[in-house]
Amino acid sequence: MDYKSYRGNSPQRKKRHWLAALLVLFAAGVLAFGALELVIWRGGQGRTAQAGDGPEVMVIFGCQMRRDGPSILLRDRLDTALAYWEEHPDIKIVVTGGKGDDEHVSEAQGMYDYLTAHGVDGHDILLEDQSRNTHQNIRNTLALMGETSIPWAGSEDGPGSYVLVSSDFHLARILMLWGRAAGTTANVSTLPAPVSHAPSRVQMTFREPLALVKSFLFDR
């Protein structure tokens, strides 16, 4: 073999090896992204509780509040919850979401105002207005439900069953974190809200897989 020829081809071989490695990494990334999207899609299909006689409490997860009212995503969630409440008027409601730096009121307060303006009795709504993320939403809600001072919370152990309301893309992460915090999701139903804002749908297609990984690794 000609030594000069071998040396001349060596950089090209290295380049091909690097290209092959990058293609393998890209393919692995696409497969991982696809698997996460499948998990998110399955979580967003809605879920019926496996235990209990039906939800006693509906938990609505917050989203951005604007000065003129709930954002489109939050309004989608609230309208979905209202449709369920109309068929189950005796259900109690928890609205969960704190006040972000760019919000003039807490998400919980904004949801309370919207629901009461649409006919829900304010005495049937409990506000959890301290949380800043989904992990805190769930932890704080479960803590409230465990307080015996809440007159309609059911037994001393809290309500027997819940229905959780949020955007469809959000529910897989909610279920994962709820099971981690409560120890079970057997008494949990989910009610997916449609996403009527197309730009938000596109944004969440890329954002939510990353949020799911982050929650899986760090929200404990």
Side-chain angles (χ1 to χ4, degrees):
M1 177 183 294
D2 182 70
Y3 179 71
K4 291 183 178 180
S5 176
Y6 177 81
R7 289 187 61 190
N9 290 332
S10 181
Q12 294 181 357
R13 290 188 178 184
K14 289 182 178 179
K15 184 177 180 180
R16 286 197 296 269
H17 290 161
W18 277 109
L19 181 59
L22 288 174
L23 288 174
V24 169
L25 288 175
F26 177 77
V30 169
L31 289 174
F33 182 82
L36 289 169
E37 288 289 358
L38 179 60
V39 170
I40 291 166
W41 176 82
R42 291 184 62 184
Q45 298 308 297
R47 182 176 187 272
T48 302
Q50 300 174 3
D53 297 326
E56 299 174 48
V57 174
M58 177 163 57
V59 182
I60 310 172
F61 287 77
C63 194
Q64 187 178 24
M65 276 295 301
R66 302 185 184 278
R67 289 199 171 274
D68 59 348
S71 61
I72 296 176
L73 279 180
L74 184 52
R75 195 161 62 244
D76 287 339
R77 299 178 189 186
L78 290 167
D79 289 343
T80 299
L82 282 168
Y84 188 87
W85 168 78
E86 289 174 356
E87 297 180 359
H88 306 83
D90 295 329
I91 199 167
K92 307 305 179 181
I93 299 172
V94 178
V95 287
T96 174
K99 180 179 178 297
D101 296 335
D102 58 347
E103 295 173 313
H104 66 292
V105 297
S106 70
E107 294 168 4
Q109 184 63 56
M111 289 190 282
Y112 176 93
D113 294 342
Y114 189 91
L115 293 172
T116 54
H118 286 77
V120 181
D121 188 337
H123 291 95
D124 290 337
I125 305 174
L126 182 68
L127 286 76
E128 185 292 292
D129 59 1
Q130 299 302 307
S131 56
R132 301 295 294 269
N133 55 49
T134 303
H135 183 229
Q136 293 176 9
N137 288 149
I138 293 168
R139 292 281 183 178
N140 293 347
T141 294
L142 289 171
L144 286 177
M145 293 292 93
E147 294 178 2
T148 57
S149 60
I150 301 172
W152 47 261
S155 68
E156 292 185 359
D157 296 326
S161 55
Y162 303 82
V163 57
L164 312 180
V165 183
S166 192
S167 304
D168 53 12
F169 61 79
H170 194 201
L171 288 173
R173 183 154 50 104
I174 287 173
L175 278 174
M176 178 186 70
L177 293 174
W178 190 283
R180 186 175 288 174
T184 182
T185 59
N187 61 341
V188 170
S189 298
T190 57
L191 185 60
V195 179
S196 61
H197 188 237
S200 294
R201 168 63 73 187
V202 173
Q203 179 185 9
M204 292 304 167
T205 297
F206 295 97
R207 178 183 180 275
E208 189 59 25
L210 300 177
L212 185 62
V213 172
K214 178 262 181 187
S215 288
F216 177 79
L217 294 175
F218 300 111
D219 290 339
R220 299 181 180 275

